[in-house]
Amino acid sequence: MAILVTGGTGYIGSHTVVDLLDNGYDVIIVDNFSNSKPEVLNRIYTITNRRPKFYRADVSDYEAMAEIFEKEYIEAVIHFAGLKSVAESVEKPELYFDNNVGSSKVLLKLMEIHRVSNLVFSSSATVYGVPQHVPLKEDDQVGGCTNPYGQTKLDIEYLLKDFAKAHPEANIAILRYFNPIGAHQSGLIGEDPNGIPNNLMPYITQVAIGKRPHLNVYGSDYKTIDGTGVRDYIHVVDLARGHLCALKKLEEKPGLVIYNLGTGKGTSVLQLVHAFEQANNIKIPYVICERRPGDIDENYAEVSKAYEQLGFKTKYDIVDACRDSWRWQSNNPNGYDQY
């Protein structure tokens, strides 16, 4: 039996695959490399001394996925695959709905046919929309998403809830991520964005290595400790471990469950910049720019449910994440493209 990991060569997917392999699971990756590189597979092997099965396919391609389900005996699915750029989703909303929601429909149909009951879904704190309060709890109101990317995550959550109602035997864990940062401590895998980074940490590391002249800080008039936006930054290795905790939970046959994965602590943009500077002794020049539409003052997670029900608690702080991010970037100045 094996765990099917869609999008398993991506940033979060690759770290989760490493953790799965290190803990004795058999892994089958499906990825089309739209936001990752084949070199990731070699790095996974170098870290774990195990090579997962790999299929190059688009999860929204029913025929390709049907062949994989026919060939493999799949015990559970971890579903990462999907387009994830907030800015691009605003420009191309139909592409995001067709890809993200469409691929999830394909996956659920094949799980139904092949009687695969266990699924862990990669959701996002964006489903909460503009927070009415912080920290955010799993039973807080969702909706009012500020971009099409977030709306696709919420639509998939609704799909999964409907699927669980129609299939009482199904066990589904929806994991709402906050803001993943960091990299594997080996420096072999990390976040390798296409083009200009959408996320803060890879932008910081690209400034640090000289690829970009300065960091753009969007807004300094938020109602926060220093006027910059506050987010809950979770180390990607901690986040990966959360998926293993969720898989273990599914063995208890809980039906559909929802968990926030975060640290429970908010960190501002400038606090993260200063933490990076202190951790790595590198100055990060920045420029204050206008706020971006849709950005919110702050959000961070209420994490007690994940701790009480999954036994999940973060081990690493933002200084660890800053140090690991810089190790990845400095060892791989051009990401995976140098190979």
Side-chain angles (χ1 to χ4, degrees):
M1 290 190 291
I3 311 298
L4 176 67
V5 182
T6 71
T9 59
Y11 174 44
I12 302 167
S14 59
H15 287 82
T16 303
V17 167
V18 164
D19 213 2
L20 288 167
L21 293 172
D22 280 344
N23 281 276
Y25 288 91
D26 294 320
V27 176
I28 303 157
I29 295 175
V30 176
D31 208 309
N32 63 0
F33 296 131
S34 67
N35 197 39
S36 61
K37 304 291 193 307
E39 173 62 20
V40 175
L41 295 167
N42 296 327
R43 303 296 186 89
I44 289 171
Y45 177 74
T46 301
I47 294 168
T48 65
N49 203 32
R50 296 183 64 197
R51 192 174 291 276
K53 283 191 178 181
F54 176 77
Y55 292 92
R56 184 166 187 172
D58 192 314
V59 183
S60 60
D61 183 339
Y62 184 89
E63 287 73 20
M65 292 301 297
E67 282 188 27
I68 295 166
F69 271 83
E70 288 287 347
K71 286 180 183 177
E72 304 291 349
Y73 181 29
I74 297 164
E75 179 183 20
V77 177
I78 303 180
H79 182 30
F80 293 106
L83 300 173
K84 63 176 189 175
S85 166
V86 168
E88 185 183 51
S89 78
V90 173
E91 295 171 8
K92 304 173 182 177
E94 286 187 12
L95 173 67
Y96 271 66
F97 284 99
D98 290 346
N99 184 286
N100 294 3
V101 180
S103 63
S104 301
K105 288 180 177 178
V106 167
L107 203 54
L108 290 175
K109 182 63 177 175
L110 289 167
M111 287 178 63
E112 181 181 44
I113 291 169
H114 293 272
R115 298 183 179 180
V116 179
S117 300
N118 298 317
L119 172 69
V120 178
F121 173 58
S122 161
S123 192
S124 166
T126 57
V127 301
Y128 292 113
V130 179
Q132 301 303 307
H133 62 86
V134 288
L136 287 160
K137 299 179 180 179
E138 288 87 348
D139 58 0
D140 282 340
Q141 182 177 335
V142 294
C145 299
T146 58
N147 55 73
Y149 162 75
Q151 187 62 47
T152 65
K153 290 294 187 183
L154 185 57
D155 287 354
I156 295 165
E157 286 197 12
Y158 289 144
L159 270 181
L160 296 178
K161 289 175 181 178
D162 289 341
F163 185 85
K165 286 177 186 174
H167 300 83
E169 75 283 1
N171 299 293
I172 298 171
I174 293 172
L175 303 181
R176 292 174 178 163
Y177 308 163
F178 280 69
N179 294 70
I181 58 173
H184 193 267
Q185 287 84 351
S186 66
L188 289 170
I189 57 174
E191 189 168 10
D192 183 23
N194 292 328
I196 299 172
N198 291 301
N199 297 328
L200 177 58
M201 182 59 84
Y203 209 115
I204 290 173
T205 60
Q206 289 191 10
V207 171
I209 208 161
K211 292 183 76 171
R212 304 197 182 277
H214 59 260
L215 172 70
N216 291 325
V217 175
Y218 295 102
S220 60
D221 59 349
Y222 291 99
K223 295 174 183 176
T224 60
I225 189 170
D226 58 18
T228 62
V230 166
R231 301 292 182 267
D232 188 337
Y233 295 101
I234 179 172
H235 197 299
V236 68
V237 172
D238 278 327
L239 184 62
R241 186 167 44 82
H243 294 76
L244 273 72
C245 294
L247 277 179
K248 297 272 188 198
K249 181 67 178 178
L250 296 188
E251 294 174 8
E252 301 173 15
K253 303 189 183 306
L256 186 140
V257 287
I258 299 174
Y259 300 103
N260 289 334
L261 291 185
T263 66
K265 180 182 178 183
T267 301
S268 76
V269 171
L270 290 184
Q271 284 175 327
L272 189 63
V273 169
H274 298 326
F276 185 91
E277 291 175 333
Q278 291 166 11
N280 301 300
N281 197 28
I282 299 171
K283 191 69 179 170
I284 302 297
Y286 63 87
V287 173
I288 302 293
C289 306
E290 288 186 10
R291 291 171 64 150
R292 295 176 298 192
D295 274 352
I296 56 180
D297 290 335
E298 60 179 345
N299 75 348
Y300 55 92
E302 165 59 60
V303 294
S304 58
K305 184 180 177 184
Y307 178 67
E308 291 163 5
Q309 297 189 18
L310 301 181
F312 174 76
K313 188 176 182 180
T314 56
K315 295 180 179 178
Y316 304 106
D317 61 20
I318 60 167
V319 173
D320 298 318
C322 289
R323 195 176 294 121
D324 294 336
S325 292
W326 177 238
R327 184 184 301 112
W328 152 253
Q329 182 75 81
S330 56
N331 287 351
N332 304 272
N334 297 307
Y336 297 110
D337 280 340
Q338 58 197 315
Y339 291 92

